[in-house]
């Protein structure tokens, strides 16, 4: 018998060395196309073969930059732009505050007792809304009643005024705010709702403040005057009153000529005084 010697020939599946290696039996034409895989090359061996034949391609592959990496210079530029933007916002806010014309330096702090402290109805106040951006007038009245000098007493006064107004004309307390002899502001309708005096002008551009007491013969307390100043400044700060507002009183034809005369005698000396409104 004649044994044909076979020669082991290494052949590549692909031209660039990325494929597996095969042996081909040299004998026989049918065996020339028969490819039997030997051991496949791992990734490191393939890279070694590739680096021997194409070293430039391997170097280029290793130098591909990470697309998710932020360049330090670009990061610094972004932070600088953000800092400039924040600085511009701070400067703009500061200039806006400087444009607010405060009527006077306020040494007396503003004290506010809000409506829920005395409101006994099950539902929230429902009445015509006030355009806060249009408010440019404050009308100051006196209540023509006795004064109150403590929070409990003043809260009781607000409840009694609410009851009387509802019984007389089926409406809520007409004032926006009331200031007691204790130097505290009590919220009635507040900054959100129109006042409830049908005889007074400017329902959508006025706040009505009641000084609790009768001031035809005597002055309000110093605390009431100081609190009224603090209230005006606070209203401007809350953007609920124009810095160029007018402060007014009323002349009621049904009352005596001395009605609230001592109150208005003092207010006439204040900045923004706009005179008396006849009703």
């Amino acid at each position: 018998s004649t044994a044909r010697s076979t020669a082991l020939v290494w052949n590549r599946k692909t031209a660039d060395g990325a494929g597996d290696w095969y042996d081909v039996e040299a004998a026989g034409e049918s065996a020339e196309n028969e490819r039997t895989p030997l051991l496949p090359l791992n990734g490191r061996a393939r890279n070694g073969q590739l680096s021997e034949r194409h070293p430039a391609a391997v170097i280029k592959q290793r130098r591909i930059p990470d697309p998710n990496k932020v360049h330090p210079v670009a990061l610094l530029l972004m932070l600088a732009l953000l800092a400039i933007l924040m600085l511009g916002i701070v400067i703009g806010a500061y200039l806006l505050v400087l444009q607010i014309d405060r009527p006077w330096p306020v040494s007396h702090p503003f004290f506010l007792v809000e409506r829920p402290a005395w409101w006994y109805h099950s539902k929230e106040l429902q009445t015509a809304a006030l355009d806060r951006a249009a408010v440019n007038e404050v009308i100051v009245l006196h209540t023509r009643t006795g004064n109150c000098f403590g929070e409990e007493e003043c809260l009781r006064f607000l409840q009694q005024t609410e009851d009387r107004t509802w019984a007389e004309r089926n409406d809520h307390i007409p004032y926006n705010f009331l200031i007691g002899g204790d130097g505290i502001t009590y919220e009635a309708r507040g900054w959100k709702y129109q006042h409830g005096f049908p005889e007074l002008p400017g329902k959508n551009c006025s706040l009505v403040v009641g000084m609790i007491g009768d001031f035809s013969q005597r002055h309000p307390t110093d605390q009431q005057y100081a609190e009224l100043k603090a209230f005006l400044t606070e209203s401007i700060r809350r953007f609920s009153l124009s810095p160029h507002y007018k402060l007014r009183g009323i002349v009621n034809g049904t009352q005596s000529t001395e009605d609230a005369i001592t109150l208005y005698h003092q207010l006439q000396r204040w900045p923004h005084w706009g005179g008396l409104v006849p009703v």
Side-chain angles (χ1 to χ4, degrees), residues 37-209:
L38 290 177
L39 295 176
L41 295 178
N42 56 24
R44 182 178 299 177
R46 290 180 181 178
N47 289 337
Q49 294 287 343
L50 181 61
S51 62
E52 291 178 0
R53 292 179 173 270
H54 304 282
V58 175
I59 295 174
K60 184 177 180 181
Q61 182 179 5
R62 292 176 180 175
R63 291 181 179 177
I64 295 177
D66 186 1
N68 297 323
K69 184 178 180 181
V70 180
H71 197 279
V73 176
L75 181 60
L76 290 176
L77 288 176
M78 292 172 59
L79 293 176
L81 291 175
L82 181 61
I84 293 173
L85 177 62
M86 296 300 296
L87 181 61
I89 294 175
V90 171
I91 293 175
Y94 176 72
L95 294 177
L96 180 63
V97 171
L98 289 181
Q99 291 180 354
I100 297 178
D101 183 19
R102 290 175 173 79
W104 40 66
V106 176
S107 58
H108 180 81
F110 177 66
F111 298 102
L112 176 65
V113 175
E114 297 181 335
R115 189 185 309 111
W118 64 270
W119 187 259
Y120 53 83
H121 298 289
S122 58
K123 295 183 179 180
E124 181 60 38
L125 176 65
Q126 296 179 355
T127 186
L130 178 63
D131 184 4
R132 298 168 64 179
V135 177
N136 57 10
E137 189 174 75
V138 177
I139 301 175
V140 182
L141 313 175
H142 68 158
T143 59
R144 302 188 188 94
T145 62
N147 208 332
C148 63
F149 296 95
E151 183 173 332
E152 183 178 353
E153 184 182 4
C154 292
L155 290 177
R156 186 164 55 250
F157 174 83
L158 267 75
Q159 292 175 342
Q160 292 172 352
T161 304
E162 167 73 12
D163 292 338
R164 184 173 61 254
T165 306
W166 189 263
E168 292 176 354
R169 53 185 182 180
N170 198 29
D171 197 4
H172 293 290
I173 186 170
Y175 301 92
N176 292 100
F177 295 92
L178 288 151
I179 299 178
D182 54 356
I184 295 178
T185 299
Y186 295 88
E187 182 185 26
R189 296 195 176 203
W191 286 288
K192 295 182 179 180
Y193 301 104
Q194 298 179 8
H195 68 76
F197 291 94
E199 69 275 13
L200 294 182
K203 295 193 70 172
N204 199 38
C205 63
S206 300
L207 292 173
V208 176
V209 179

